[in-house]
Amino acid sequence: MLRETLAAGVAYLHEGVSAADRRAAQQLLESGAAQLCVVAAELAYAFAAHCHTVIVADTCTYNGKLHCYEQYPVTTVLQMLGRACRPLDDDSSVAVLMCAAHHKTFFTKLLNDCLPLESHLDHRLHDHMNAEIVTKTIENKQDAVDYLTWTFLYRRLTQNPNYYNLQGVTHRHLSDHLSELVETTLADLEQSKCIAIEDEMDVQPLNLGMIASYYYINYTTIELFSLSLTSKTKIRGLLEIISSAAEYSDLCIRHREENIIKTLAAKVPHKPAPAAGGAVRYNEPHVKAHVLLQAHLSRAQLPAELQADTALVLTKAIRLIQACVDVVSSSGWLSPAVAAMELAQMVTQAMWAKDSYLRQLPHFTPELVQRCADKGVETVFDVMELEDNARAKLLQLQPQEMADVARFCNRYPNVELSYEVQNPRRLRVGRPVVVEVSLEREDDVVGPVIAPFFPQKREEGWWVVIGEPKSNSLLSIKRVALGRAARLRLDFVVGAPGRHAYTLYFMSDAYLGADQEYKFTVDVADAPDDDSDSD
């Protein structure tokens, strides 16, 4: 239908239109082939074409979280009106703003007067402070105050004190305001266990703060992970916890969209948790993120707007999952760490762990996967080991599709792992057990992960983990970006003498079926007496 209207000179652009189609419509408009373009407000900043006449049909938008209409941000209105400008073609342009009568005075003043640009740093200060404390730029409260004096926020405080709730603009007022801002910010960071405050002055980064800074996630999110993750957390719990992250609080809810999400939620394996009142609130951004994540893993068909929302959810999901791995590793829990690593693979390849590994391969439909299973072909390596004629007969794909399969198989990691426990006869309680791991890739092609359902380009990564499954203990972990080969050392301390059984895990963060496990035992003797140390 939209193609037909475009042929008649009228273009329609909304969030579900692909980027290529959007560019084509804008080029037709600028060249004069299309005379009219109807654009959804969500594309105000994505619409790059310039026109002779712009009509803003309303200044309100629907807020699905609050079930009400609210005004567009002033900057969005100016962005829309700014599209009315063709310096090379016109001597003048026309902008029409339609609004409620009682808003007319405000918008008239807005269009005729200057709009001051204000700082919002005070609303986002926690994460900035945390990052600067981690990098040692800020080591005490005075450093934090000095840091603020170099910001745009400091410049605007004296120019527009009412906007920032200042009582005055004297040096004393400014000093008190900055000191209070620093005190409350650092107190919040301390409460969330991101930093430690020593002697009421000096600040030190803690493990959670370092994780938040490294993965660029909100300090409230890392606090949520710390409080919610347990030694028994499984995939279901991880999906709920990740969906509750502050990063998803701005996910938009469109008009009547909760009905679509409710229908979708009935089809996914894990139902969203009910709110305090006992009912699931489908107009909650976190519930929407939870449902979209599962819909992605199930490869459900979604409306175009929800596909765009899913892409936003996925681009943040990998960072959040990797942060979960670090948080549970810090607590020494093996089972949830392995579950989080598997979730990273699932999100990348749009699969559930129970699905056949062959679903990762391009053009492999459920029927083709079943046909392969009937012939005993269940892994990517099984496909690679088939003779060319047998493979072609089994897959029955077109030459171009077969080339895509070959490209995936060539990129699929085939890694040879060997390990050695150093000085196995001289292990003592309280002394580190050192395990040297050697990794060598058998394939020559190393590049971005092939993941057709993931919206971003991704480089593959690996975790090497030593754990004790019997006690659910994670003893040592290292993350490695594997090229052709790598060598690394893992060490851990054993607390009791005797024979101990451990497992070495080699886990991918992007491909299913490429993981490896090795079981080994070590014999640990009692710690030597002080008298025999010299011996």
Side-chain angles (χ1 to χ4, degrees):
M1 286 173 65
L2 297 188
R3 270 203 303 271
E4 291 296 323
T5 60
L6 187 57
V10 180
Y12 284 85
L13 294 181
H14 58 94
E15 282 184 293
V17 177
S18 69
D21 288 348
R22 195 183 302 164
R23 282 195 299 271
Q26 291 178 176
Q27 288 169 1
L28 290 171
L29 184 69
E30 290 197 315
S31 66
Q35 286 77 45
L36 178 64
C37 188
V38 182
V39 187
E42 292 80 13
L43 298 183
Y45 287 92
F47 184 73
H50 287 81
C51 321
H52 175 269
T53 303
V54 167
I55 301 173
V56 179
D58 195 0
T59 58
C60 293
T61 184
Y62 182 73
N63 186 326
K65 289 179 276 189
L66 302 177
H67 283 295
C68 66
Y69 286 89
E70 60 185 17
Q71 287 286 326
Y72 288 140
V74 169
T75 48
T76 302
V77 174
L78 292 177
Q79 175 71 12
M80 294 173 178
L81 297 176
R83 297 297 93 192
C85 173
R86 294 193 303 183
L88 300 179
D89 300 324
D90 305 312
D91 294 329
S92 62
S93 298
V94 179
V96 179
L97 181 65
M98 297 182 176
C99 65
H102 60 279
H103 288 142
K104 182 178 178 181
T105 306
F106 169 75
F107 282 113
T108 303
K109 180 175 172 55
L110 167 69
L111 296 176
N112 293 326
D113 296 345
C114 292
L115 178 71
L117 196 65
E118 300 297 350
S119 170
H120 285 190
L121 178 63
D122 48 340
H123 300 293
R124 299 283 187 273
L125 192 56
H126 295 79
D127 296 317
H128 286 278
M129 284 282 183
N130 179 58
E132 299 298 347
I133 291 169
V134 169
T135 57
K136 299 291 185 181
T137 304
I138 294 175
E139 296 185 336
N140 53 58
K141 292 180 179 179
Q142 186 57 47
D143 287 347
V145 174
D146 293 343
Y147 171 81
L148 287 177
T149 63
W150 289 91
T151 63
F152 180 62
L153 169 68
Y154 183 72
R155 301 295 178 275
R156 291 303 305 167
L157 286 174
T158 55
Q159 303 300 314
N160 195 353
N162 289 338
Y163 186 84
Y164 300 99
N165 296 321
L166 253 74
Q167 303 300 318
V169 293
T170 64
H171 181 74
R172 178 66 182 272
H173 284 105
L174 282 175
S175 178
D176 289 348
H177 181 78
L178 293 180
S179 297
E180 184 182 353
L181 193 58
V182 166
E183 285 285 351
T184 54
T185 302
L186 295 183
D188 289 344
L189 288 173
E190 184 184 35
Q191 187 178 358
S192 62
K193 294 184 171 58
C194 288
I195 66 167
I197 301 178
E198 300 171 354
D199 302 326
E200 298 187 358
M201 190 64 181
D202 296 329
V203 291
Q204 293 290 336
L206 297 180
N207 186 52
L208 292 181
M210 293 179 187
I211 296 172
S213 174
Y214 183 80
Y215 292 108
Y216 198 65
I217 60 179
N218 196 288
Y219 82 103
T220 56
T221 298
I222 207 71
E223 182 182 17
L224 170 75
F225 288 175
S226 175
L227 296 173
S228 304
L229 292 165
T230 69
S231 60
K232 298 179 181 178
T233 302
K234 295 183 172 59
I235 295 289
R236 177 174 186 164
L238 283 166
L239 283 169
E240 279 190 19
I241 293 167
I242 288 165
S243 303
S244 301
E247 278 70 11
Y248 295 136
S249 59
D250 293 332
L251 199 61
C252 70
I253 307 289
R254 298 175 189 84
H255 202 24
R256 298 193 182 92
E257 195 173 63
E258 59 261 37
N259 298 328
I260 304 174
I261 297 168
K262 184 177 181 179
T263 305
L264 200 57
K267 300 176 182 177
V268 297
H270 306 306
K271 302 299 177 274
V280 179
R281 299 178 62 184
Y282 292 102
N283 64 329
E284 273 288 318
H286 301 294
V287 171
K288 180 178 178 178
H290 188 223
V291 172
L292 290 183
L293 267 177
Q294 294 188 71
H296 168 71
L297 298 180
S298 304
R299 297 189 182 178
Q301 291 295 318
L302 299 175
E305 284 85 357
L306 287 184
Q307 285 180 9
D309 292 338
T310 303
L312 288 174
V313 170
L314 295 177
T315 52
K316 299 175 181 178
I318 295 296
R319 285 188 289 119
L320 296 171
I321 293 169
Q322 290 173 341
C324 282
V325 172
D326 284 13
V327 171
V328 295
S329 300
S330 305
S331 301
W333 299 325
L334 178 63
S335 173
V338 172
M341 295 171 192
E342 289 178 349
L343 183 57
Q345 302 169 3
M346 291 158 52
V347 168
T348 303
Q349 296 296 342
M351 290 170 51
W352 293 96
K354 59 181 175 53
D355 295 340
S356 167
Y357 294 149
L358 295 180
R359 290 202 73 191
Q360 300 171 94
L361 287 158
H363 313 298
F364 267 57
T365 61
E367 294 76 22
L368 178 51
V369 170
Q370 184 59 49
R371 192 161 69 238
C372 291
D374 294 341
K375 296 292 185 181
V377 178
E378 296 182 344
T379 69
V380 178
F381 295 117
D382 292 341
V383 174
M384 295 163 71
E385 289 167 5
L386 289 170
E387 295 292 333
D388 290 348
N389 292 336
R391 188 187 300 118
K393 183 178 178 182
L394 175 63
L395 303 186
Q396 301 173 17
L397 295 174
Q398 298 298 321
Q400 183 56 50
E401 295 175 336
M402 191 65 87
D404 292 339
V405 172
R407 181 167 157 266
F408 181 93
C409 291
N410 290 335
R411 190 71 59 83
Y412 192 75
N414 186 6
V415 181
E416 189 71 34
L417 184 147
S418 60
Y419 67 94
E420 183 183 3
V421 180
Q422 298 295 300
N423 301 321
R425 298 177 182 276
R426 301 178 63 184
L427 301 179
R428 297 286 186 271
V429 171
R431 292 184 181 175
V433 177
V434 179
V435 180
E436 283 205 351
V437 179
S438 297
L439 306 168
E440 186 171 356
R441 203 183 191 104
E442 294 190 359
D443 46 346
D444 294 327
V445 184
V446 181
V449 175
I450 298 179
F453 294 90
F454 196 77
Q456 275 188 330
K457 180 179 174 182
R458 273 207 67 200
E459 299 296 331
E460 67 176 54
W462 299 84
W463 287 283
V464 183
V465 180
I466 294 177
E468 189 176 32
K470 183 179 178 182
S471 63
N472 191 25
S473 300
L474 189 150
L475 304 170
S476 186
I477 181 171
K478 282 201 175 174
R479 184 161 168 79
V480 57
L482 179 62
R484 290 282 297 118
R487 292 177 66 88
L488 56 146
R489 291 162 60 96
L490 291 94
D491 57 78
F492 58 95
V493 176
V494 180
R499 173 163 287 190
H500 299 269
Y502 300 119
T503 303
L504 175 67
Y505 299 86
F506 181 56
M507 304 282 295
S508 170
D509 73 347
Y511 293 104
L512 285 91
D515 304 333
Q516 301 178 35
E517 285 186 24
Y518 300 89
K519 298 185 184 301
F520 66 97
T521 58
V522 296
D523 293 309
V524 181
D526 267 323
D529 297 332
D530 292 340
D531 296 339
S532 61
D533 276 352
S534 57
D535 299 337

